[in-house]
């Protein structure tokens, strides 16, 4: 009798598990990268696409790019997709600043928070033929005349922009006078550096890795507390005499107006993603840190980060 009950219970458990697996197998997702191809958000979206499909978590994943205004044009489009439980958007530190800088009529509090995914140190690079060899060399130039040092990076108000301003401040220069040139995609910033049109560039290591290894760009400093595992020869900014650390995080949010069930499906899919071997391989290859934070914890983090970034941007003169 007992064995029969246990057997029936096991069959029910298998059936439920099968239904759950089947539900994910039929999951069709859309991920928006609110920037041009070639940048960090685009790379994150396409990495998610690769891991979600390869692991069988989703049947299909479509990635689209919506450019402009530090991702706030994409954000407005996402908010307009109210109730769409198949839509996700990559965002992060950059968008928090861009919303403030662009005086955006929409903000992240209007979205459905899903999860923080990664954290990434930024690198400051120069062309290999540049006379600037170290972070100290660059700091001396910035201190002497911040406006004469041109920086290439991502969207205005983003992590790259804030790092440039904080670098100037740490070097003893006026952060309000920095000459920062924003690019919507990493490919455009790279072209500006290789073409000698800017003094230095800022981005995640993964976006510059190919050109660094090819000997076309030189890392003068990493914004993390320790050297990167995949770039052990690259010194930290602190090692170069510039007392500065900053990590760029990325996350995913969904449109407003989702039901509890819709939110649960998306949250569980991302929860499975971050535990997959496919995602672990991508993190290792790209040099991203696993910074997964979901549910109410991510929602609280997102609220706190908006306050923190606003203060930093006001302190360095990016917003009033």
């Amino acid at each position: 009798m007992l064995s029969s009950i246990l057997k029936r219970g096991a069959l029910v458990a298998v059936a439920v598990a099968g239904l759950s697996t089947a539900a994910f197998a039929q999951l069709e997702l859309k991920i928006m990268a609110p920037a041009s191809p070639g940048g960090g958000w685009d790379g994150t979206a396409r990495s998610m696409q690769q891991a979600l499909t390869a692991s069988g978590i989703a049947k299909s994943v479509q990635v689209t790019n919506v450019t402009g205004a530090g991702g706030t044009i994409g954000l407005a489009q996402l908010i307009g997709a109210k109730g769409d439980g198949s839509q996700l958007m990559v965002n992060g530190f950059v968008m928090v600043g861009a919303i403030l800088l662009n005086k955006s009529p929409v903000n992240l509090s209007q979205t459905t928070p899903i999860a923080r995914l990664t954290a990434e140190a930024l690198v400051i690079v120069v062309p290999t033929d540049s006379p600037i060899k170290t972070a100290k060399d660059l700091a001396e130039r910035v201190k002497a005349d911040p406006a004469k040092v041109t920086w290439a990076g991502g969207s205005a108000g983003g992590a790259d922009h804030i790092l440039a301003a904080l670098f100037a401040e740490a070097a003893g220069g006026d952060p309000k006078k920095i000459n920062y040139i924003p690019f919507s995609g990493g490919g455009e910033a790279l072209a500006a550096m290789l073409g000698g049109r800017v003094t230095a560039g800022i981005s995640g290591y993964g976006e510059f890795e190919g050109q660094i290894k090819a000997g076309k760009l030189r890392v003068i400093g990493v914004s993390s507390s320790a050297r990167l595992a995949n770039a052990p020869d690259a010194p930290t900014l602190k090692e170069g005499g510039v007392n500065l650390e900053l990590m760029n995080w990325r996350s995913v949010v969904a449109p407003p107006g989702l039901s509890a069930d819709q939110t649960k499906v998306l949250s569980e899919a991302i929860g499975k993603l971050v535990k997959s071997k496919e995602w672990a391989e991508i993190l290792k290859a790209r040099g991203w840190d696993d910074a997964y934070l979901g549910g109410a914890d991510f929602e609280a983090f997102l609220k706190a980060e908006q306050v923190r970034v606003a203060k930093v941007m006001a302190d360095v003169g990016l917003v009033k």
Side-chain angles (χ1 to χ4, degrees):
M1 179 77 171
L2 179 60
S3 63
S4 177
I5 292 172
L6 290 173
K7 187 178 289 185
R8 284 199 301 273
L11 288 172
V12 169
V14 169
V16 170
L19 285 172
S20 176
T21 303
F24 278 112
Q26 297 304 312
L27 193 59
E28 297 182 351
L29 296 174
K30 298 169 290 186
I31 303 177
M32 182 201 303
S36 300
W41 286 343
D42 180 68
T44 302
R46 295 184 191 281
S47 294
M48 290 176 67
Q49 178 188 46
Q50 177 185 337
L52 283 165
T53 53
S55 62
I57 295 170
K59 179 182 178 182
S60 67
V61 179
Q62 177 187 356
V63 173
T64 57
N65 294 86
V66 178
T67 63
T72 57
I73 291 176
L75 176 61
Q77 193 173 115
L78 181 84
I79 290 168
K82 183 177 180 179
D84 186 349
S86 66
Q87 180 72 61
L88 290 167
M89 183 187 74
V90 175
N91 71 303
F93 188 110
V94 172
M95 187 173 285
V96 176
I99 288 168
L100 297 169
L101 197 67
N102 290 290
K103 297 181 173 60
S104 172
V106 292
N107 60 69
L108 287 166
S109 66
Q110 295 171 265
T111 68
T112 300
I114 300 299
R116 187 181 68 191
L117 295 175
T118 63
E120 181 182 25
L122 299 172
V123 295
I124 299 177
V125 299
V126 295
T128 50
D129 59 0
S130 169
I132 297 169
K133 307 295 183 185
T134 65
K136 185 179 179 182
D137 292 342
L138 182 60
E140 288 173 353
R141 290 196 177 203
V142 171
K143 183 178 181 180
D145 191 346
K148 282 190 176 179
V149 175
T150 50
W151 301 83
S155 300
D160 303 348
H161 194 171
I162 289 175
L163 182 64
L166 290 175
F167 185 96
E169 186 177 59
D174 186 347
K176 297 177 183 178
K177 294 182 179 179
I178 64 167
N179 189 352
Y180 182 83
I181 304 171
F183 293 90
S184 182
E188 297 170 5
L190 185 61
M193 278 180 287
L194 296 178
R197 300 196 301 275
V198 295
T199 309
I202 302 175
S203 191
Y205 178 79
E207 291 179 47
F208 292 150
E209 184 175 15
Q211 301 300 326
I212 293 167
K213 290 185 174 178
K216 295 182 178 180
L217 293 176
R218 176 171 57 248
V219 179
I220 64 163
V222 179
S223 69
S224 51
S225 59
R227 293 193 180 199
L228 304 180
N230 57 342
D233 295 332
T236 66
L237 290 171
K238 283 191 172 182
E239 287 179 82
V242 180
N243 188 23
L244 177 59
E245 288 181 30
L246 184 71
M247 295 296 283
N248 182 23
W249 54 267
R250 297 193 182 106
S251 64
V252 284
V253 295
L258 300 191
S259 68
D261 285 344
Q262 286 176 310
T263 302
K264 183 180 179 182
V265 167
L266 291 175
S267 297
E268 288 184 352
I270 298 304
K272 286 177 179 288
L273 165 71
V274 298
K275 293 177 182 177
S276 70
K277 62 177 177 47
E278 289 83 2
W279 185 245
E281 289 167 0
I282 286 170
L283 293 183
K284 183 177 180 181
R286 286 187 170 266
W288 295 342
D289 291 339
D290 178 8
Y292 174 71
L293 192 67
D297 290 338
F298 172 57
E299 188 171 359
F301 166 82
L302 196 55
K303 288 179 180 176
E305 195 69 348
Q306 290 175 79
V307 174
R308 184 180 79 91
V309 173
K311 182 180 184 303
V312 170
M313 290 181 70
D315 289 347
V316 299
L318 292 177
V319 296
K320 292 182 179 180

